[in-house]
Amino acid sequence: KAGVTQTPRYLIKTRGQQVTLSCSPISGHRSVSWYQQTPGQGLQFLFEYFSETQRNKGNFPGRFSGRQFSNSRSEMNVSTLELGDSALYLCASSLVSTGGKGNTEAFFGQGTRLTVV
Amino acid sequence: SQQGEEDPQALSIQEGENATMNCSYKTSINNLQWYRQNSGRGLVHLILIRSNEREKHSGRLRVTLDTSKKSSSLLITASRAADTASYFCATEYYGQNFVFGPGTRLSVLP
């Protein structure tokens, strides 16, 4: 079974530009969550999509947005990039939405390393 | 508020020794999960322990959960150089998404 695939693996962008990252979850998984990882802040939750609907959103500015397609693939967009957006962006795939009444194992992709210069 | 807090922040041991990492959290949880991350790559899921479980094993890994103390520990036995990585705990609770701690950096020296 193929794992979680994130593309691209590396990106270098200039301040003010926008960027789109992609995540293909494990086949059959309907939930995709996005996390930002930086040395200073650690792993921080951005948002979760389940069945094309945003289920939850973390404490990030509106420049960070996402969507999910009918095949469960998800994209994350960051507009008007700032230097502080440089980070490893990770997506996690799970069968059901996290934070439900059950127990959800989440599987992560290799991440996209974004560098803003 | 941050849930998982790993302790220690960094750990250095010799190959063959056991490594123990701890995680504390603040509120009720459905489960706690441990992940490994190698040098800025993705997170690898290691083990999930439910709130009604006290101990789980997977190969050389042993995880315990003490809900009364709101803490968990991850024991890696007979460590290998390949175990060198950062280890994170993540808690899941109804109505919340996973919350990760800052991680423990483990170095296994040959």
Side-chain angles (χ1 to χ4, degrees):
Chain A
K1 199 181 216 181
V4 180
T5 303
Q6 288 188 247
T7 57
R9 291 291 310 279
Y10 302 93
L11 265 178
I12 300 176
K13 290 286 188 178
T14 305
R15 271 183 303 177
Q17 286 187 314
Q18 75 164 16
V19 67
T20 299
L21 313 181
S22 178
C23 174
S24 293
I26 292 170
S27 178
H29 284 196
R30 294 164 63 190
S31 168
V32 174
S33 298
W34 288 90
Y35 293 82
Q36 180 196 65
Q37 186 179 29
T38 59
Q41 299 297 319
L43 278 151
Q44 293 188 290
F45 170 72
L46 280 157
F47 30 66
E48 181 195 10
Y49 286 88
F50 180 79
S51 293
E52 301 179 66
T53 302
Q54 187 178 88
R55 293 294 299 266
N56 224 329
K57 190 176 193 307
N59 190 25
F60 278 82
R63 300 185 297 107
F64 292 81
S65 63
R67 59 178 175 168
Q68 187 179 35
F69 302 95
S70 58
N71 61 358
S72 294
R73 189 178 71 86
S74 176
E75 286 183 348
M76 187 191 112
N77 185 76
V78 188
S79 62
T80 320
L81 283 165
E82 300 176 0
L83 295 178
D85 297 332
S86 294
L88 180 66
Y89 290 88
L90 293 161
C91 85
S93 154
S94 56
L95 201 57
V96 296
S97 181
T98 57
K101 292 182 180 178
N103 297 283
T104 311
E105 285 184 274
F107 299 90
F108 284 77
Q110 290 296 299
T112 293
R113 172 76 62 186
L114 172 65
T115 303
V116 182
V117 298
Chain B
S1 63
Q2 189 162 316
Q3 281 271 43
E5 294 278 352
E6 291 92 344
D7 166 56
Q9 290 188 350
L11 181 61
S12 215
I13 59 173
Q14 297 291 134
E15 235 178 353
E17 292 181 337
N18 295 343
T20 300
M21 288 159 266
N22 303 297
C23 170
S24 60
Y25 56 93
K26 294 176 182 167
T27 64
S28 298
I29 59 172
N30 284 359
N31 62 72
L32 187 145
Q33 304 184 43
W34 285 91
Y35 290 85
R36 183 186 74 230
Q37 184 179 40
N38 291 87
S39 190
R41 296 171 67 87
L43 275 70
V44 175
H45 187 271
L46 296 176
I47 202 160
L48 179 154
I49 186 163
R50 296 172 172 76
S51 59
N52 61 354
E53 296 176 315
R54 292 297 165 258
E55 188 171 312
K56 279 190 88 167
H57 296 256
S58 177
R60 294 183 297 112
L61 306 179
R62 173 178 166 253
V63 169
T64 62
L65 179 65
D66 187 335
T67 53
S68 66
K69 294 181 179 177
K70 292 187 171 55
S71 68
S72 173
S73 68
L74 169 66
L75 168 67
I76 304 174
T77 60
S79 62
R80 306 165 181 168
D83 295 327
T84 294
S86 291
Y87 291 81
F88 297 88
C89 69
T91 53
E92 183 185 17
Y93 185 60
Y94 180 67
Q96 298 177 3
N97 286 90
F98 288 179
V99 179
F100 286 85
T104 292
R105 290 189 313 278
L106 173 65
S107 297
V108 181
L109 308 173

